[in-house]
């Protein structure tokens, strides 16, 4: 099937991937043509993979290659407690920690790997220090395709080993990461390795399924707002495109407003948004507990700004105290996300205090990954336990 990749900035059309996944004219990211004639397949979700159910939204993927690890179909959980507490009609959490490698990255990894296999690449790869590395390593193993994972040289063992277990070629690289992002795609492409980095077009496509699921889970309704923890910008672009496609296909008449949430300690997109700029600037000395969203120069940053402008949404940053507070609050609702994932709830609380939402709004927080992937953040919480002698058990239970 033919593809049409369109420049998100100048509109130039490409019939195949460029070896940087970016526009050769203006250097902005490319994206696949909007799908406007798809339906959601009926049938029993227990007998389908997400890509089967939403296959009409992926006309350019030949997904006869079955490498599903059971990604997607994650719960959308309503918090009646927080709805009441915050005075918002519906507060929901889309819990992406329930993916095969505990983050939403799996949705985009599978579409990227299928694309690589459709094109006949001999291998795949990615540049990441966390969730994306584990995801690509897992799908590379499932697909039995050569897989190279490039990580930062100073990566902690706690993070390295859960990536290494999948058995890919794992390489620590010394040097600048923005440069590595581009060089890996280019050198990989020219040497038979398809690098599925943070905002590669076929990765972004995979994230659309989050939108389709939310739509089905809300009984074929669209929420008013979706809050998305944002780093490179791939996830928010994919989810927004998913909703725009539902509208283009005549399935809904409304696209939700999007809110990109960032950490104050690394907020290139939120800063540019606040200052009314059309382009992001490199964020100096990034420092936050939300490591998974610590990209100082996001490759889709400018596109996220353009998208937010058209969409009527916004970008906002929250500091580490607000993030940790939200992580705890969310855990007390039974959902343990990592700090980056809690920026959506932290931003919701902050914006509600500024009267940004009305009490009639339905809002969805994307919980991007599991708290168990970053347990050292637990040291930042005051967590109490009590120790007793078994003889005092009755007293403790009665109290
Ligand atoms: C990758 C990631 C993000 C950011 O996604 P982008 O597509 O880079 O914007 C947010 N939260 C977590 C936990 C992630 O792993
Ligand atoms: Zn262009």
């Amino acid at each position: 099937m033919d593809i049409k990749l369109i420049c998100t900035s100048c509109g130039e059309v490409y019939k195949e991937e460029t070896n940087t996944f970016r526009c050769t004219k203006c250097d902005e990211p490319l994206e696949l043509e909007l799908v406007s004639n798809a339906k959601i397949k009926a049938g029993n979700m227990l007998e389908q993979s997400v890509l089967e159910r939403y296959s009409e939204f992926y006309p350019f993927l030949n997904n006869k290659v079955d490498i599903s690890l059971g990604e997607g179909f994650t719960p959308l959980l309503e918090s009646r407690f927080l709805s009441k507490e915050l005075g918002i009609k519906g507060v929901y959490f889309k819990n992406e920690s329930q993916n095969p490698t505990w983050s939403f990255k799996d949705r985009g990894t599978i579409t990227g790997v299928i694309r690589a296999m459709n094109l006949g690449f001999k291998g795949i790869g990615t540049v990441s220090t966390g969730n994306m590395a584990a995801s690509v390593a897992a799908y590379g193993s499932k697909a039995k395709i050569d897989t190279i994972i490039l990580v930062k040289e100073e990566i902690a063992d706690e993070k390295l080993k859960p990536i290494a277990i999948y058995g890919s070629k794992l390489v620590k690289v010394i040097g600048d990461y923005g440069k590595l992002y581009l060089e890996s795609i280019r050198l990989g492409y020219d040497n038979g390795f398809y690098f599925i980095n943070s905002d590669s077009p076929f990765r972004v496509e995979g994230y659309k399924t989050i939108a389709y699921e939310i739509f089905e889970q809300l009984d074929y309704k669209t929420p008013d707002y979706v809050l998305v923890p944002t780093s490179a910008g791939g996830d928010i672009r994919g989810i927004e495109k998913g909703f725009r496609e539902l509208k283009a296909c005549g399935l809904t008449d409304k696209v939700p407003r999007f809110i990109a949430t960032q950490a104050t300690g690394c907020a290139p997109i939120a800063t540019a948004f606040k200052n009314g700029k059309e382009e992001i600037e490199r964020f100096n000395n990034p420092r936050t507990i939300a490591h998974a969203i610590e990209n100082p120069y996001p490759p889709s940053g400018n596109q996220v700004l353009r998208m937010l402008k058209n969409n009527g949404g916004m970008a906002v940053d929250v500091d580490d105290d607000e993030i940790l507070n939200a992580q705890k609050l969310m855990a007390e609702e039974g959902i343990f996300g990592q700090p980056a994932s809690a920026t959506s709830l932290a931003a919701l609380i902050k914006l509600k205090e500024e009267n940004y939402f009305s009490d009639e709004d339905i809002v969805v927080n994307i919980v991007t990954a599991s708290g168990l992937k970053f347990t050292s953040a637990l040291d930042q919480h005051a967590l109490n336990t009590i120790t007793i002698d078994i003889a005092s058990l009755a007293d403790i239970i009665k109290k």
Side-chain angles (χ1 to χ4, degrees):
M1 160 94 199
D2 291 341
I3 62 155
K4 220 186 223 182
L5 281 164
I6 302 167
C7 174
T8 52
S9 180
C10 75
E12 182 76 14
V13 175
Y14 298 80
K15 295 276 186 204
E16 54 190 51
E17 281 97 331
T18 68
N19 71 356
T20 52
F21 291 139
R22 299 178 79 85
C23 178
T24 55
K25 302 240 153 71
C26 71
D27 199 33
E28 282 293 298
L30 305 178
E31 79 176 13
L32 280 132
E33 184 179 29
L34 203 78
V35 173
S36 56
N37 56 353
K39 290 185 308 296
I40 294 171
K41 267 203 194 138
N44 182 350
M45 282 188 199
L46 294 176
E47 292 166 359
Q48 298 168 328
S49 69
V50 259
L51 288 182
E52 283 165 352
R53 187 167 187 84
Y54 305 119
S55 60
E56 292 190 15
F57 293 88
Y58 295 92
F60 40 77
L61 272 191
N62 173 359
N63 56 33
K64 286 202 179 67
V65 238
D66 179 15
I67 53 164
S68 174
L69 287 170
E71 56 292 325
F73 295 145
T74 60
L76 181 72
L77 304 162
E78 182 175 12
S79 170
R80 273 170 232 109
F81 172 77
L82 285 173
S83 303
K84 206 163 154 226
E85 198 81 348
L86 292 169
I88 294 174
K89 187 171 171 195
V91 174
Y92 290 84
F93 295 96
K94 181 67 172 159
N95 189 2
E96 289 296 294
S97 76
Q98 290 189 222
N99 273 296
T101 72
W102 309 282
S103 87
F104 74 90
K105 297 287 195 310
D106 294 334
R107 297 178 187 265
T109 300
I110 188 170
T111 45
V113 177
I114 291 175
R115 177 64 179 168
M117 293 170 85
N118 289 167
L119 291 173
F121 277 80
K122 69 175 180 210
I124 55 165
T126 200
V127 177
S128 162
T129 49
N131 295 322
M132 194 161 53
S135 180
V136 172
Y139 282 84
S141 294
K142 172 73 179 173
K144 296 280 171 285
I145 188 169
D146 283 349
T147 304
I148 302 180
I149 310 288
L150 307 178
V151 299
K152 276 192 191 169
E153 199 248 339
E154 65 268 24
I155 184 173
D157 253 21
E158 183 205 7
K159 283 185 164 179
L160 190 68
K161 288 181 178 165
I163 303 168
I165 188 77
Y166 294 107
S168 315
K169 186 188 275 184
L170 186 50
V171 188
K172 294 182 181 180
V173 187
I174 305 162
D176 177 77
Y177 267 66
K179 196 165 160 196
L180 186 61
Y181 161 93
L182 277 176
E183 287 286 276
S184 61
I185 298 172
R186 192 175 63 76
L187 287 173
Y189 202 88
D190 295 344
N191 292 287
F193 277 80
Y194 195 84
F195 267 73
I196 311 157
N197 290 354
S198 52
D199 66 343
S200 297
F202 284 85
R203 168 176 288 287
V204 173
E205 283 299 305
Y207 300 152
K208 297 191 304 190
T209 53
I210 296 175
Y212 308 145
E213 288 176 22
I214 292 172
F215 179 65
E216 290 207 77
Q217 286 166 317
L218 290 177
D219 252 338
Y220 307 99
K221 283 190 205 70
T222 306
D224 296 293
Y225 292 93
V226 181
L227 294 100
V228 190
T230 299
S231 186
D235 196 20
I236 196 168
R237 285 182 50 205
I239 304 172
E240 191 270 345
K241 184 166 187 260
F243 278 108
R244 251 187 310 124
E245 290 185 346
L246 289 171
K247 188 175 173 205
C249 293
L251 297 168
T252 175
D253 50 15
K254 192 181 90 185
V255 172
R257 291 210 173 137
F258 276 78
I259 299 172
T261 66
Q262 299 207 289
T264 306
C266 184
I269 298 173
T271 306
F273 185 88
K274 233 184 282 177
N275 296 332
K277 296 265 167 60
E278 286 183 6
E279 292 194 351
I280 55 156
E281 273 172 35
R282 178 178 294 276
F283 197 92
N284 290 321
N285 306 318
R287 196 186 153 83
T288 168
I289 184 100
H291 295 301
I293 53 171
E294 207 173 17
N295 188 330
Y297 195 56
S300 275
N302 298 339
Q303 170 53 13
V304 170
L305 290 173
R306 288 189 290 272
M307 181 278 278
L308 291 174
K309 199 169 169 186
N310 290 331
N311 168 268
M314 71 172 307
V316 66
D317 62 273
V318 283
D319 67 29
D320 281 14
D321 286 343
E322 293 171 302
I323 293 170
L324 288 166
N325 175 50
Q327 185 185 32
K328 186 72 167 54
L329 256 181
M330 210 157 68
E332 288 171 3
E333 285 292 285
I335 304 165
F336 181 29
Q338 65 181 81
S341 302
T343 57
S344 45
L345 176 59
L348 176 68
I349 294 169
K350 181 170 172 164
L351 290 174
K352 177 61 189 169
E353 282 165 4
E354 296 168 5
N355 292 315
Y356 184 79
F357 301 105
S358 93
D359 46 10
E360 284 306 300
D361 284 333
I362 303 290
V363 302
V364 176
N365 296 292
I366 307 294
V367 183
T368 43
S370 166
L372 279 180
K373 296 202 98 179
F374 185 29
T375 49
S376 49
L378 291 168
D379 299 340
Q380 306 296 314
H381 291 279
L383 303 172
N384 298 320
T385 50
I386 36 182
T387 308
I388 57 152
D389 193 276
I390 197 160
S392 329
L393 188 58
D395 292 344
I396 285 287
I397 293 173
K398 274 188 237 157
K399 253 193 236 159

